[in-house]
Amino acid sequence: MKRIIGRQGLPALIVSIVALVLIAAGTSGATTTASPVTRTFSFIAKPGSKAATVVTIDSLSINARCDSRGNPVIFAFSFANSADLFGRIFDGLGRLHVVKNSSFTTKSRGVGLSTSSGDFDATGTVLFERSDGRVVTVNYAFDNSTTLGKQNLCTVYGSFVAS
């Protein structure tokens, strides 16, 4: 059988194939924002408090309240026609709680962003994307009534970046 490519031509062929793959991948519809919005938020309330909105941006709304025992209750809602919401929460015992909703729309019920594991000192990160490429990243923490020097309050606080 006759060789079409010699030993010297093989590396050039590999480099060419990789370059073509990179060029094709680089032409996707990626969107970047020159000046994203960055904000912080803090919610501190007594047990049995009413829900308060802590984040509202780019069709994402997050509210927080304290239940009757002083545990934080956090929910996310979408005002977008189509969006995704993914995240992870780590509680104080190191357990992972996963948040996922790839059909997050105006018709969706709220998605829980707090835990029901009985350990309410936790941190979380949630990523929200609309179908038009707008993205919001929320980093947050929450704690129950033993927080802030055992003042019988619950707290939800953090920051978000939106494109």
Side-chain angles (χ1 to χ4, degrees), residues 4-61:
I4 296 174
I5 300 174
R7 288 186 179 203
Q8 295 168 343
L10 185 59
L13 177 64
I14 292 171
V15 169
S16 298
I17 291 172
V18 170
L20 286 173
V21 169
L22 291 176
I23 288 170
T27 60
S28 68
T31 304
T32 58
T33 301
S35 56
V37 174
T38 304
R39 300 275 188 273
T40 61
F41 59 90
S42 176
F43 169 83
I44 302 170
K46 293 184 182 272
S49 67
K50 292 184 178 184
T53 302
V54 294
V55 172
T56 299
I57 193 161
D58 289 345
S59 303
L60 173 67
S61 181

Short mmCIF file of all heavy atoms in Angstrom, two decimals, residues 4-61:
data_model
loop_
_atom_site.label_atom_id
_atom_site.label_comp_id
_atom_site.label_asym_id
_atom_site.label_seq_id
_atom_site.Cartn_x
_atom_site.Cartn_y
_atom_site.Cartn_z
N ILE A 4 0.35 7.98 1.55
CA ILE A 4 -0.04 9.28 1.01
C ILE A 4 0.67 10.38 1.79
O ILE A 4 1.13 11.36 1.23
CB ILE A 4 -1.56 9.46 1.07
CG1 ILE A 4 -2.23 8.42 0.18
CG2 ILE A 4 -1.97 10.86 0.66
CD1 ILE A 4 -3.73 8.39 0.26
N ILE A 5 0.74 10.22 3.12
CA ILE A 5 1.37 11.24 3.96
C ILE A 5 2.60 10.64 4.60
O ILE A 5 2.54 9.60 5.25
CB ILE A 5 0.40 11.71 5.06
CG1 ILE A 5 -0.85 12.29 4.44
CG2 ILE A 5 1.07 12.68 6.01
CD1 ILE A 5 -1.92 12.63 5.45
N GLY A 6 3.70 11.30 4.42
CA GLY A 6 4.94 10.84 5.03
C GLY A 6 5.01 11.23 6.50
O GLY A 6 4.12 11.88 7.04
N ARG A 7 6.06 10.84 7.17
CA ARG A 7 6.24 11.15 8.59
C ARG A 7 6.32 12.64 8.85
O ARG A 7 5.91 13.11 9.88
CB ARG A 7 7.51 10.48 9.11
CG ARG A 7 7.35 9.01 9.23
CD ARG A 7 8.57 8.42 9.87
NE ARG A 7 8.37 7.00 9.98
CZ ARG A 7 8.96 6.25 10.83
NH1 ARG A 7 9.84 6.75 11.65
NH2 ARG A 7 8.72 4.97 10.87
N GLN A 8 6.84 13.38 7.93
CA GLN A 8 6.97 14.83 8.13
C GLN A 8 5.66 15.56 7.90
O GLN A 8 5.43 16.62 8.45
CB GLN A 8 8.04 15.39 7.18
CG GLN A 8 9.41 14.83 7.51
CD GLN A 8 10.41 15.12 6.41
OE1 GLN A 8 10.03 15.45 5.30
NE2 GLN A 8 11.69 14.98 6.73
N GLY A 9 4.77 15.01 7.14
CA GLY A 9 3.50 15.67 6.85
C GLY A 9 2.42 15.41 7.90
O GLY A 9 1.45 16.15 8.00
N LEU A 10 2.59 14.37 8.72
CA LEU A 10 1.59 14.03 9.73
C LEU A 10 1.42 15.12 10.78
O LEU A 10 0.29 15.51 11.07
CB LEU A 10 1.93 12.68 10.38
CG LEU A 10 0.91 12.15 11.36
CD1 LEU A 10 -0.44 11.97 10.67
CD2 LEU A 10 1.38 10.82 11.93
N PRO A 11 2.49 15.67 11.36
CA PRO A 11 2.29 16.76 12.32
C PRO A 11 1.59 17.97 11.71
O PRO A 11 0.73 18.59 12.35
CB PRO A 11 3.70 17.12 12.78
CG PRO A 11 4.51 15.89 12.54
CD PRO A 11 3.89 15.27 11.32
N ALA A 12 1.90 18.30 10.49
CA ALA A 12 1.24 19.43 9.83
C ALA A 12 -0.25 19.16 9.64
O ALA A 12 -1.08 20.05 9.81
CB ALA A 12 1.91 19.71 8.49
N LEU A 13 -0.59 17.92 9.30
CA LEU A 13 -2.00 17.55 9.14
C LEU A 13 -2.74 17.67 10.47
O LEU A 13 -3.83 18.21 10.53
CB LEU A 13 -2.11 16.12 8.59
CG LEU A 13 -3.53 15.58 8.44
CD1 LEU A 13 -4.30 16.41 7.42
CD2 LEU A 13 -3.50 14.12 8.04
N ILE A 14 -2.14 17.21 11.56
CA ILE A 14 -2.76 17.28 12.89
C ILE A 14 -2.97 18.74 13.30
O ILE A 14 -4.04 19.11 13.76
CB ILE A 14 -1.92 16.52 13.93
CG1 ILE A 14 -1.98 15.02 13.62
CG2 ILE A 14 -2.40 16.81 15.35
CD1 ILE A 14 -1.02 14.18 14.44
N VAL A 15 -1.97 19.58 13.10
CA VAL A 15 -2.08 21.00 13.43
C VAL A 15 -3.19 21.65 12.61
O VAL A 15 -3.97 22.46 13.12
CB VAL A 15 -0.72 21.72 13.23
CG1 VAL A 15 -0.88 23.23 13.30
CG2 VAL A 15 0.28 21.23 14.26
N SER A 16 -3.30 21.30 11.35
CA SER A 16 -4.35 21.87 10.49
C SER A 16 -5.73 21.47 10.96
O SER A 16 -6.65 22.28 10.99
CB SER A 16 -4.15 21.40 9.04
OG SER A 16 -2.92 21.86 8.54
N ILE A 17 -5.90 20.21 11.33
CA ILE A 17 -7.20 19.74 11.81
C ILE A 17 -7.58 20.45 13.10
O ILE A 17 -8.71 20.92 13.26
CB ILE A 17 -7.20 18.21 11.98
CG1 ILE A 17 -7.12 17.54 10.62
CG2 ILE A 17 -8.44 17.74 12.75
CD1 ILE A 17 -6.90 16.04 10.67
N VAL A 18 -6.64 20.57 14.04
CA VAL A 18 -6.92 21.26 15.30
C VAL A 18 -7.28 22.72 15.04
O VAL A 18 -8.21 23.26 15.64
CB VAL A 18 -5.71 21.14 16.27
CG1 VAL A 18 -5.87 22.06 17.47
CG2 VAL A 18 -5.53 19.70 16.72
N ALA A 19 -6.57 23.38 14.14
CA ALA A 19 -6.86 24.78 13.82
C ALA A 19 -8.27 24.93 13.24
O ALA A 19 -9.00 25.86 13.59
CB ALA A 19 -5.83 25.32 12.84
N LEU A 20 -8.68 24.02 12.37
CA LEU A 20 -10.03 24.07 11.81
C LEU A 20 -11.10 23.89 12.89
O LEU A 20 -12.12 24.57 12.88
CB LEU A 20 -10.20 23.01 10.73
CG LEU A 20 -9.49 23.30 9.40
CD1 LEU A 20 -9.59 22.10 8.47
CD2 LEU A 20 -10.07 24.54 8.75
N VAL A 21 -10.85 22.98 13.83
CA VAL A 21 -11.80 22.76 14.92
C VAL A 21 -11.90 24.01 15.78
O VAL A 21 -12.99 24.44 16.16
CB VAL A 21 -11.38 21.53 15.76
CG1 VAL A 21 -12.18 21.45 17.05
CG2 VAL A 21 -11.55 20.26 14.95
N LEU A 22 -10.78 24.63 16.10
CA LEU A 22 -10.79 25.85 16.91
C LEU A 22 -11.49 27.00 16.19
O LEU A 22 -12.22 27.77 16.81
CB LEU A 22 -9.37 26.25 17.30
CG LEU A 22 -8.67 25.32 18.30
CD1 LEU A 22 -7.24 25.76 18.52
CD2 LEU A 22 -9.43 25.26 19.60
N ILE A 23 -11.28 27.13 14.92
CA ILE A 23 -11.94 28.19 14.16
C ILE A 23 -13.45 27.97 14.17
O ILE A 23 -14.23 28.89 14.38
CB ILE A 23 -11.39 28.26 12.71
CG1 ILE A 23 -9.98 28.82 12.72
CG2 ILE A 23 -12.30 29.09 11.83
CD1 ILE A 23 -9.26 28.71 11.39
N ALA A 24 -13.87 26.73 13.96
CA ALA A 24 -15.31 26.43 13.95
C ALA A 24 -15.92 26.68 15.33
O ALA A 24 -17.01 27.21 15.44
CB ALA A 24 -15.53 24.98 13.52
N ALA A 25 -15.21 26.32 16.39
CA ALA A 25 -15.71 26.53 17.75
C ALA A 25 -15.76 28.02 18.09
O ALA A 25 -16.64 28.47 18.82
CB ALA A 25 -14.85 25.79 18.75
N GLY A 26 -14.84 28.79 17.56
CA GLY A 26 -14.78 30.21 17.86
C GLY A 26 -15.86 31.03 17.19
O GLY A 26 -16.05 32.19 17.52
N THR A 27 -16.60 30.46 16.28
CA THR A 27 -17.63 31.21 15.58
C THR A 27 -19.01 31.03 16.20
O THR A 27 -20.01 31.36 15.60
CB THR A 27 -17.69 30.80 14.09
OG1 THR A 27 -17.98 29.41 14.02
CG2 THR A 27 -16.39 31.13 13.38
N SER A 28 -19.08 30.51 17.42
CA SER A 28 -20.38 30.32 18.07
C SER A 28 -20.97 31.67 18.46
O SER A 28 -20.33 32.71 18.35
CB SER A 28 -20.22 29.45 19.31
OG SER A 28 -19.49 30.14 20.29
N GLY A 29 -22.18 31.66 18.96
CA GLY A 29 -22.89 32.89 19.29
C GLY A 29 -22.60 33.39 20.70
O GLY A 29 -23.52 33.78 21.40
N ALA A 30 -21.39 33.35 21.14
CA ALA A 30 -21.04 33.81 22.48
C ALA A 30 -21.27 35.31 22.62
O ALA A 30 -21.01 36.08 21.70
CB ALA A 30 -19.59 33.48 22.80
N THR A 31 -21.79 35.71 23.79
CA THR A 31 -22.06 37.10 24.06
C THR A 31 -21.27 37.53 25.29
O THR A 31 -21.24 36.82 26.28
CB THR A 31 -23.56 37.32 24.34
OG1 THR A 31 -24.30 36.83 23.24
CG2 THR A 31 -23.88 38.76 24.59
N THR A 32 -20.64 38.69 25.22
CA THR A 32 -19.95 39.24 26.39
C THR A 32 -20.46 40.64 26.63
O THR A 32 -20.94 41.32 25.73
CB THR A 32 -18.42 39.27 26.19
OG1 THR A 32 -18.13 40.06 25.04
CG2 THR A 32 -17.84 37.88 26.02
N THR A 33 -20.36 41.06 27.87
CA THR A 33 -20.81 42.39 28.25
C THR A 33 -19.62 43.18 28.77
O THR A 33 -18.88 42.70 29.62
CB THR A 33 -21.89 42.30 29.34
OG1 THR A 33 -22.96 41.53 28.82
CG2 THR A 33 -22.39 43.66 29.74
N ALA A 34 -19.47 44.38 28.27
CA ALA A 34 -18.32 45.21 28.66
C ALA A 34 -18.43 45.71 30.10
O ALA A 34 -17.44 45.79 30.80
CB ALA A 34 -18.20 46.39 27.70
N SER A 35 -19.62 46.05 30.55
CA SER A 35 -19.75 46.60 31.90
C SER A 35 -20.90 45.91 32.65
O SER A 35 -22.03 46.38 32.62
CB SER A 35 -19.98 48.11 31.84
OG SER A 35 -21.11 48.38 31.04
N PRO A 36 -20.59 44.80 33.30
CA PRO A 36 -21.64 44.10 34.05
C PRO A 36 -22.07 44.88 35.28
O PRO A 36 -21.35 45.75 35.77
CB PRO A 36 -20.97 42.78 34.44
CG PRO A 36 -19.51 43.07 34.43
CD PRO A 36 -19.31 44.12 33.39
N VAL A 37 -23.26 44.57 35.78
CA VAL A 37 -23.80 45.17 36.99
C VAL A 37 -23.45 44.27 38.16
O VAL A 37 -23.68 43.07 38.11
CB VAL A 37 -25.33 45.31 36.88
CG1 VAL A 37 -25.93 45.81 38.18
CG2 VAL A 37 -25.70 46.21 35.72
N THR A 38 -22.88 44.85 39.21
CA THR A 38 -22.54 44.10 40.42
C THR A 38 -23.19 44.78 41.62
O THR A 38 -23.06 45.99 41.78
CB THR A 38 -21.00 44.05 40.64
OG1 THR A 38 -20.40 43.49 39.48
CG2 THR A 38 -20.66 43.22 41.86
N ARG A 39 -23.89 44.00 42.44
CA ARG A 39 -24.58 44.54 43.61
C ARG A 39 -24.46 43.57 44.78
O ARG A 39 -24.26 42.37 44.58
CB ARG A 39 -26.07 44.76 43.33
CG ARG A 39 -26.39 45.70 42.21
CD ARG A 39 -26.39 47.15 42.67
NE ARG A 39 -26.88 48.05 41.65
CZ ARG A 39 -26.14 48.60 40.72
NH1 ARG A 39 -24.88 48.32 40.63
NH2 ARG A 39 -26.66 49.43 39.85
N THR A 40 -24.65 44.08 45.98
CA THR A 40 -24.74 43.24 47.16
C THR A 40 -26.14 43.36 47.75
O THR A 40 -26.88 44.30 47.44
CB THR A 40 -23.70 43.66 48.23
OG1 THR A 40 -23.97 45.00 48.63
CG2 THR A 40 -22.29 43.54 47.70
N PHE A 41 -26.51 42.40 48.59
CA PHE A 41 -27.81 42.44 49.25
C PHE A 41 -27.69 41.82 50.64
O PHE A 41 -26.80 41.02 50.90
CB PHE A 41 -28.88 41.72 48.43
CG PHE A 41 -28.58 40.27 48.15
CD1 PHE A 41 -29.00 39.27 49.02
CD2 PHE A 41 -27.88 39.90 47.01
CE1 PHE A 41 -28.73 37.94 48.77
CE2 PHE A 41 -27.60 38.57 46.75
CZ PHE A 41 -28.02 37.59 47.62
N SER A 42 -28.59 42.23 51.52
CA SER A 42 -28.63 41.69 52.87
C SER A 42 -30.08 41.71 53.35
O SER A 42 -30.76 42.73 53.27
CB SER A 42 -27.76 42.53 53.81
OG SER A 42 -27.89 42.07 55.14
N PHE A 43 -30.52 40.57 53.86
CA PHE A 43 -31.86 40.43 54.43
C PHE A 43 -31.68 39.92 55.86
O PHE A 43 -31.05 38.88 56.08
CB PHE A 43 -32.68 39.43 53.61
CG PHE A 43 -33.97 39.02 54.26
CD1 PHE A 43 -35.10 39.81 54.13
CD2 PHE A 43 -34.06 37.85 54.99
CE1 PHE A 43 -36.30 39.43 54.72
CE2 PHE A 43 -35.25 37.47 55.59
CZ PHE A 43 -36.36 38.26 55.46
N ILE A 44 -32.18 40.66 56.83
CA ILE A 44 -32.13 40.27 58.24
C ILE A 44 -33.52 40.46 58.80
O ILE A 44 -34.09 41.56 58.70
CB ILE A 44 -31.11 41.12 59.03
CG1 ILE A 44 -29.71 41.00 58.42
CG2 ILE A 44 -31.10 40.70 60.50
CD1 ILE A 44 -28.70 41.98 58.99
N ALA A 45 -34.09 39.41 59.40
CA ALA A 45 -35.47 39.52 59.89
C ALA A 45 -35.69 38.57 61.07
O ALA A 45 -34.92 37.64 61.30
CB ALA A 45 -36.45 39.21 58.78
N LYS A 46 -36.79 38.82 61.77
CA LYS A 46 -37.20 37.99 62.89
C LYS A 46 -37.98 36.78 62.40
O LYS A 46 -38.51 36.79 61.28
CB LYS A 46 -38.06 38.81 63.84
CG LYS A 46 -37.31 39.93 64.53
CD LYS A 46 -38.20 40.64 65.53
CE LYS A 46 -37.46 41.78 66.17
NZ LYS A 46 -36.71 41.41 67.33
N PRO A 47 -38.09 35.72 63.21
CA PRO A 47 -38.90 34.56 62.83
C PRO A 47 -40.33 34.97 62.47
O PRO A 47 -40.89 35.88 63.07
CB PRO A 47 -38.88 33.70 64.10
CG PRO A 47 -37.60 34.06 64.77
CD PRO A 47 -37.42 35.52 64.51
N GLY A 48 -40.88 34.32 61.45
CA GLY A 48 -42.24 34.61 61.01
C GLY A 48 -42.36 35.83 60.12
O GLY A 48 -43.47 36.33 59.90
N SER A 49 -41.27 36.29 59.58
CA SER A 49 -41.30 37.50 58.74
C SER A 49 -41.96 37.23 57.40
O SER A 49 -42.06 36.09 56.94
CB SER A 49 -39.88 38.02 58.51
OG SER A 49 -39.15 37.09 57.73
N LYS A 50 -42.40 38.30 56.76
CA LYS A 50 -42.96 38.21 55.41
C LYS A 50 -41.82 38.17 54.41
O LYS A 50 -40.71 38.63 54.68
CB LYS A 50 -43.84 39.42 55.13
CG LYS A 50 -45.10 39.43 55.95
CD LYS A 50 -45.98 40.60 55.56
CE LYS A 50 -47.27 40.56 56.36
NZ LYS A 50 -48.19 41.61 55.96
N ALA A 51 -42.12 37.66 53.22
CA ALA A 51 -41.12 37.57 52.16
C ALA A 51 -40.74 38.97 51.68
O ALA A 51 -41.59 39.85 51.55
CB ALA A 51 -41.64 36.75 50.99
N ALA A 52 -39.47 39.13 51.39
CA ALA A 52 -38.93 40.38 50.84
C ALA A 52 -38.07 40.03 49.63
O ALA A 52 -37.36 39.02 49.64
CB ALA A 52 -38.11 41.12 51.87
N THR A 53 -38.12 40.85 48.61
CA THR A 53 -37.30 40.64 47.43
C THR A 53 -35.88 41.11 47.71
O THR A 53 -35.67 42.24 48.14
CB THR A 53 -37.89 41.40 46.23
OG1 THR A 53 -39.23 40.94 46.02
CG2 THR A 53 -37.07 41.17 44.98
N VAL A 54 -34.90 40.22 47.47
CA VAL A 54 -33.50 40.58 47.70
C VAL A 54 -32.75 40.79 46.38
O VAL A 54 -31.74 41.50 46.36
CB VAL A 54 -32.77 39.54 48.58
CG1 VAL A 54 -33.34 39.54 49.99
CG2 VAL A 54 -32.80 38.14 47.99
N VAL A 55 -33.22 40.18 45.29
CA VAL A 55 -32.61 40.35 43.97
C VAL A 55 -33.72 40.44 42.94
O VAL A 55 -34.63 39.62 42.93
CB VAL A 55 -31.68 39.17 43.61
CG1 VAL A 55 -31.20 39.26 42.17
CG2 VAL A 55 -30.51 39.05 44.56
N THR A 56 -33.65 41.45 42.08
CA THR A 56 -34.50 41.53 40.90
C THR A 56 -33.66 42.16 39.79
O THR A 56 -33.31 43.33 39.86
CB THR A 56 -35.75 42.41 41.13
OG1 THR A 56 -36.52 41.84 42.17
CG2 THR A 56 -36.60 42.48 39.88
N ILE A 57 -33.32 41.34 38.80
CA ILE A 57 -32.55 41.84 37.66
C ILE A 57 -32.67 40.84 36.50
O ILE A 57 -32.71 39.63 36.73
CB ILE A 57 -31.07 42.09 38.04
CG1 ILE A 57 -30.38 42.89 36.93
CG2 ILE A 57 -30.34 40.80 38.37
CD1 ILE A 57 -29.11 43.57 37.37
N ASP A 58 -32.74 41.36 35.30
CA ASP A 58 -32.75 40.54 34.07
C ASP A 58 -33.74 39.39 34.12
O ASP A 58 -33.43 38.26 33.75
CB ASP A 58 -31.35 40.01 33.77
CG ASP A 58 -30.41 41.09 33.31
OD1 ASP A 58 -30.89 42.19 32.95
OD2 ASP A 58 -29.18 40.87 33.34
N SER A 59 -34.95 39.64 34.60
CA SER A 59 -36.04 38.65 34.67
C SER A 59 -35.85 37.60 35.75
O SER A 59 -36.58 36.61 35.78
CB SER A 59 -36.24 37.94 33.33
OG SER A 59 -36.49 38.86 32.31
N LEU A 60 -34.89 37.79 36.64
CA LEU A 60 -34.70 36.91 37.79
C LEU A 60 -35.11 37.65 39.05
O LEU A 60 -34.72 38.80 39.25
CB LEU A 60 -33.24 36.46 37.91
CG LEU A 60 -32.89 35.67 39.18
CD1 LEU A 60 -33.57 34.30 39.18
CD2 LEU A 60 -31.38 35.51 39.29
N SER A 61 -35.88 36.99 39.88
CA SER A 61 -36.28 37.57 41.16
C SER A 61 -36.03 36.53 42.26
O SER A 61 -36.40 35.35 42.09
CB SER A 61 -37.75 37.96 41.14
OG SER A 61 -38.12 38.54 42.37
#
